[in-house]
Amino acid sequence: MRSSPAAVQPGSVPGTDAPRRATLLRLVGAGVMLTVMADTTATTLAVGLMRNSAAGNGMPLNDLVWLTSAAFVPIAALLASAGRWADLFGRRRVLVIGLLVFVAGGIATLTLPSWPAVLAARAVQGAGAAAMIPASLAVLLGELPEQQRRGAIALWSSASGLGCLLMQAGSGWLAAGFGWRALFAPVVVTGLLLLVACAWLPPGTNRATARSRPDLLGGCLLAASIAALVLAISKMTTWGMDSAWLACAALVLLVAALAQARRHRVPAIDLTLWRRPGFAWGWLATWGFGMLSYGLLTLQPLYLLQLGFPMMEVALWLTPTSVAMVITAWLGGKIVRKLGPYGLIYLGAAVCGGSCVVALAQTTPNLWGLAASIGIGIGVGALAPGTSMATTLTAQPHQYASAVGAAVMSRMVGGAVGVAAVSVIIDHPFMAGPLGGLASALAICVAVSVLVGSLALIKMLRMPHATGEVMVLVPRRMLLELRTTLATVAAEADALQAAQLAGESPAISPTTAIPQQRRATAPAPAMRATAGSPTRPLGGTLVRSPEGLSSWQ
């Protein structure tokens, strides 16, 4: 009987089936990000529609944006745990469970009548997306060879731009014909298609044990912390000091979640990732990227709808941004080989911030505004793969899903904060003029771009420069063993040559034939080797230079 691709393990796939399996992996991984980003785009468009029509029932903007935040909070809170569960219980299994929950929440969003019920359904969708996101990329990274992983991350990131593009292109027709709820119908259809495709995915490794119970308490504490923080930001202008106390409570809940993570065997927050070199820098850059990208995603349709554009024209104005995002994210997989992840982050932040400055100078939609919109798409498209690689590739292979979960959690927390901040600033601007709220929000986006770019620049300056020399860090014990071995080989070679010249059979003891002057007196923990340098003599000592390097003398 012919076996399905899901039953074939990596490394044992025949040559004819391997390309098909790799294609399926890429399609499912990209399809998940396409679906999640299309869902997020649908919420931002729905918020704009309800704010500028009777469908919003006169609710203030900081209440309407909870259509977005209701999904962001469970995504951000459960991503790290879901990534951990995917590494332990099987990545395909967690992906399927996430898709089932996501589709159920989408159906409820389409059918439930009351606003609280809709927000609850959005939270269910967020919980499903939290399981889908890390499991999808972990399946890619775990099954593809190492040389194909950067390209897979670029495809996975660029698919989010494609989802945004497709939703914006069809949103005008859907909203005009069926209302704002119809914007969530396409993601339910794509979720069902992905469920079918999962039947042919490799099952992955189940490393769970009897003691691998998930940290549900830690996940709940983290969710409560993020929800309290977002609520404090969105209500800071109306609640006053109560918002400050709520922010303090969010901090206390976060500390409790971290304490729980230190005690639990399978924590909601994988603290070992933070010990990986460079992970914290990537996490901070990803947080800023989430705040910037989701803030701009909310801001653009609000600006155009406030000017009186119908939904069909709004979709046309937003399309160039999404096209630029898709193309740049795809090219980012190639550019990152020359610039590195942080070089790509710096480039994206600079382009995005400059485009926001150009947009600030425009009072009406024009060609300069269109150019700024394209520039924003280019900047966000460069930031997406750059931040993903800066965090994900610092993890060990068995931590891929956990790293993806932690990285996207950072993006979603930043996104929730960004959306809440934009809603508050638009209603309470610090700049004057008829569009003072939108201008104030753009100014905040410029500041965030500067911060992300500065973070990437500092990280690049801290990294070793490519000067043609390679710094090789060697443990002290290995240097001693290598020194002893080389000296022994040299001594035996000298004795053998002398014995051959004398016509005698050599009898050399490796431990007594080492010349005393060949022993190192102070081996150093680091040596610098330059390509093309001449061979050093074995005799002498290791001397440390003022720069902290060591050389033979």
Side-chain angles (χ1 to χ4, degrees), residues 182-373:
L183 296 174
F184 297 95
V187 298
V188 173
V189 176
T190 55
L192 291 172
L193 293 176
L194 289 171
L195 270 173
V196 175
C198 284
W200 284 272
L201 287 180
T205 304
N206 187 344
R207 301 191 300 114
T209 64
R211 298 182 179 182
S212 299
R213 296 179 180 178
D215 184 10
L216 296 179
L217 176 59
C220 292
L221 289 171
L222 186 60
S225 173
I226 297 170
L229 177 62
V230 174
L231 184 61
I233 294 173
S234 62
K235 295 294 185 180
M236 61 185 299
T237 57
T238 55
W239 288 4
M241 282 301 299
D242 290 339
S243 293
W245 288 112
L246 188 60
C248 294
L251 181 61
V252 172
L253 289 169
L254 177 61
V255 172
L258 292 174
Q260 175 69 10
R262 290 177 62 87
R263 295 193 299 266
H264 205 278
R265 293 180 179 272
V266 189
I269 304 172
D270 190 356
L271 298 179
T272 60
L273 285 172
W274 293 89
R275 304 188 189 105
R276 300 291 303 169
F279 180 82
W281 288 87
W283 194 93
L284 290 174
T286 305
W287 189 90
F289 164 60
M291 186 174 181
L292 178 64
S293 59
Y294 289 112
L296 288 170
L297 190 64
T298 304
L299 189 61
Q300 283 183 298
L302 283 174
Y303 169 66
L304 294 170
L305 288 168
Q306 184 172 332
L307 291 177
F309 283 85
M311 195 61 201
M312 293 293 291
E313 294 186 23
V314 170
L316 292 176
W317 274 95
L318 296 178
T319 299
T321 305
S322 300
V323 172
M325 191 189 309
V326 172
I327 296 174
T328 308
W330 179 74
L331 292 175
K334 303 179 183 297
I335 299 174
V336 75
R337 297 175 184 175
K338 295 183 179 180
L339 299 181
Y342 289 98
L344 192 59
I345 292 172
Y346 178 77
L347 177 64
V351 173
C352 202
S355 301
C356 289
V357 171
V358 174
L360 265 173
Q362 314 307 314
T363 56
T364 58
N366 52 31
L367 291 179
W368 281 108
L370 181 61
S373 180

Side-chain angles (χ1 to χ4, degrees), residues 68 88 93 101 109 118 123 251 272 327 336-338 342 367 385 392 415 435 464 504 533:
T68 302
L88 289 170
R93 179 181 301 173
V101 174
T109 302
V118 169
L251 181 61
T272 60
I327 296 174
V336 75
R337 297 175 184 175
K338 295 183 179 180
Y342 289 98
L367 291 179
T392 306
L435 298 175
E504 301 176 358
S533 61

Side-chain angles (χ1 to χ4, degrees), residues 4-208:
S4 67
V8 183
Q9 298 296 328
S12 63
V13 181
T16 56
D17 290 339
R20 297 178 184 176
R21 184 174 66 105
T23 301
L24 179 64
L25 288 168
R26 289 181 172 89
L27 286 176
V28 172
V32 167
M33 281 307 293
L34 183 149
T35 303
V36 172
M37 194 62 192
D39 179 74
T40 303
T41 306
T43 62
T44 58
L45 294 171
V47 168
L49 281 171
M50 288 189 288
R51 177 177 170 81
N52 294 276
S53 68
N57 295 323
M59 284 190 292
L61 181 60
N62 56 13
D63 287 340
L64 289 174
V65 296
W66 274 94
L67 189 67
T68 302
S69 300
F72 277 11
V73 169
I75 290 177
L78 299 177
L79 266 170
S81 298
R84 193 89 164 130
W85 299 339
D87 285 332
L88 289 170
F89 302 112
R91 292 155 183 174
R92 186 182 68 173
R93 179 181 301 173
V94 173
L95 177 58
V96 169
I97 294 173
L99 283 166
L100 287 171
V101 174
F102 181 83
V103 169
I107 295 173
T109 302
L110 290 170
T111 56
L112 294 178
S114 66
W115 181 249
V118 169
L119 295 183
R122 292 291 300 146
V124 171
Q125 274 193 290
M132 293 160 53
I133 293 171
S136 63
L137 185 55
V139 166
L140 271 177
L141 298 180
E143 300 296 333
L144 292 178
E146 185 176 358
Q147 64 271 20
Q148 298 180 17
R149 288 172 184 165
R150 290 182 183 270
I153 293 176
L155 175 65
W156 186 79
S157 300
S158 62
S160 61
L162 182 59
C164 182
L165 170 62
L166 293 176
M167 178 55 67
Q168 289 173 348
S171 60
W173 173 75
L174 285 172
F178 305 98
W180 66 269
R181 289 177 185 266
L183 296 174
F184 297 95
V187 298
V188 173
V189 176
T190 55
L192 291 172
L193 293 176
L194 289 171
L195 270 173
V196 175
C198 284
W200 284 272
L201 287 180
T205 304
N206 187 344
R207 301 191 300 114

